[in-house]
Amino acid sequence: MANFFVRGGTALNGSVVISGAKNAAVAIIPAALMANTPSTIENVPDIRDVHTLVAIISGLGAKVTRLDKHTIIIDSSELGCPVVPYEAAKRMRASYYLLGALISKFPQVTVSMPGGCSIGARPIDQHIKGLRALGVEISAENGMIKATAKKLTGTEICFDTVSVGATINVMLASVYATGTTVLENAAKEPHVVDVANFLNSLGADILGAGTDIIRIKGVKTLTGRSYSIIPDQIEAGTFMLGAMATRGCIEIKNIIPRHLYAITDKLKNIGAVITEFDDSVCIQAPVNLSSTNIKTMPYPGFPTDLQPQMVALLSLAQGTSVVTEGIWENRFKYVGELIRLGAKLQVNERTVIVEGVPELNAAPVKAPDLRAGAALLVAALAASGTTELESVEHIERGYENIVGKFCGLGANIFVVADPLKSSEQTA
Ligand code: UD1
């Protein structure tokens, strides 16, 4: 366990290479278990959630070979006894994808109720609704979800709410179902499309991913292939916001610019000059940031996973901004910490009113969750003085080498082991 000491006030400059998308990786790794032969997955982000997932599937009997830092081979030929215990699943929410992926291969799968960031109630009723419609019997006991299925049969499923997780999970379970499954009111996020593209490359028959109706024609086998995960739009957005907060100018490489439209649009609104290339963007911050209003929405709307970082940035804009959280009911836990750095914020249910201040000042702060931790880091990079940021393990769940990447752009961040936490860990 460590803390980050961030000496703020240096404008970010230079270029940064974005890693593979966390939210695609945590679905594609379970999807790879569905194939009869090994798959090679490239551009896998080197982050804690991926390490956790690899440990979970290895525990189930999958053979995972690491070719290099970002390439793994997943061989599920020895997979057996799909029971994912609490100790493993509590560390990452996306362990629920193992339900959808494995119920098509095994008559029974047991997965502990998922953990992950505490940003709201995070129900999984839509996953269960979709799986039941395919013929899966589901029961929950002592914190474990038990799924049993003799046969999966394609059907029409209309989700009551747009859910990335439910769309992907039910899509996974439908691949081997008999007949055709139609998912209506599906999520359209780039990682939904990436999972569908991966499955299609293995031999699945999925049409419409990226629209709100996805059609899956059941197939009998999937054959392992090589596949490269899309770049992480949230990581890219976080670096753009860091450049803006420090009034810097950076190039962001290895991205798909159209995945970032909602973000680039808002940043242009508040004064950024953004130049797009085929697989990179350059962002130049203005001298003064303008305020704006934002509501987070499912893709292609402004992503909830950049809401905390955006509030950190707007804390430094001229005038008042209103930011409304449209996805999660409890995603303002970091507000108190930003206020400690000098931000002027007022939360009213799902809205935060941000009154811009000329500068932020260092203070000890604690990351309450993954993206909130990234927001505090963005704020600390802009603040005057040295901020001590605690609980950075949340950040490391989803950002690869974030300290190295920011320092490569000129930031001053020192990682210091927290002796108290280290001894707590080993006790
Ligand atoms: C995914 C992302 C997360 C992001 C979120 C929204 C992954 C691993 N995580 O989370 O980073 O913040 O999308 O873009 O991809 N809901 C229900 N019932 C359900 C499922 C969801 O009511 O069965 C609600 C949720 O409470 C929430 C909304 O639907 O209000 C969206 O949730 P969902 O898209 O499912 O988020 P996740 O897939 O968990």
Side-chain angles (χ1 to χ4, degrees), residues 19-68:
S19 300
K22 161 188 168 288
N23 288 347
V26 297
I28 285 175
I29 292 171
L33 299 176
M34 296 168 66
N36 297 332
T37 52
S39 286
T40 303
I41 317 292
E42 296 161 11
N43 205 27
V44 179
D46 187 21
I47 54 174
R48 194 168 288 188
D49 267 10
V50 165
H51 303 163
T52 303
L53 189 52
V54 165
I56 292 175
I57 65 166
S58 302
L60 299 180
K63 192 172 162 215
V64 183
T65 313
R66 190 168 281 280
L67 287 189
D68 60 43

Side-chain angles (χ1 to χ4, degrees), residues 231-245:
D232 197 308
Q233 51 157 348
I234 304 302
E235 187 196 7
T238 303
F239 278 96
M240 291 171 100
L241 293 166
M244 287 289 278

Side-chain angles (χ1 to χ4, degrees), residues 110-113 138-146:
T110 309
V111 177
S112 171
M113 301 283 264
I138 297 199
S139 59
E141 236 174 70
N142 306 324
M144 303 295 281
I145 305 169
K146 193 198 275 181

Side-chain angles (χ1 to χ4, degrees), residues 168-203:
I168 293 178
N169 222 352
V170 181
M171 186 166 77
L172 291 171
S174 308
V175 166
Y176 281 131
T178 309
T180 300
T181 303
V182 181
L183 305 181
E184 290 178 22
N185 201 20
K188 297 180 279 210
E189 268 67 3
H191 40 290
V192 173
V193 180
D194 207 33
V195 178
N197 286 343
F198 171 62
L199 289 166
N200 282 341
S201 77
L202 305 183

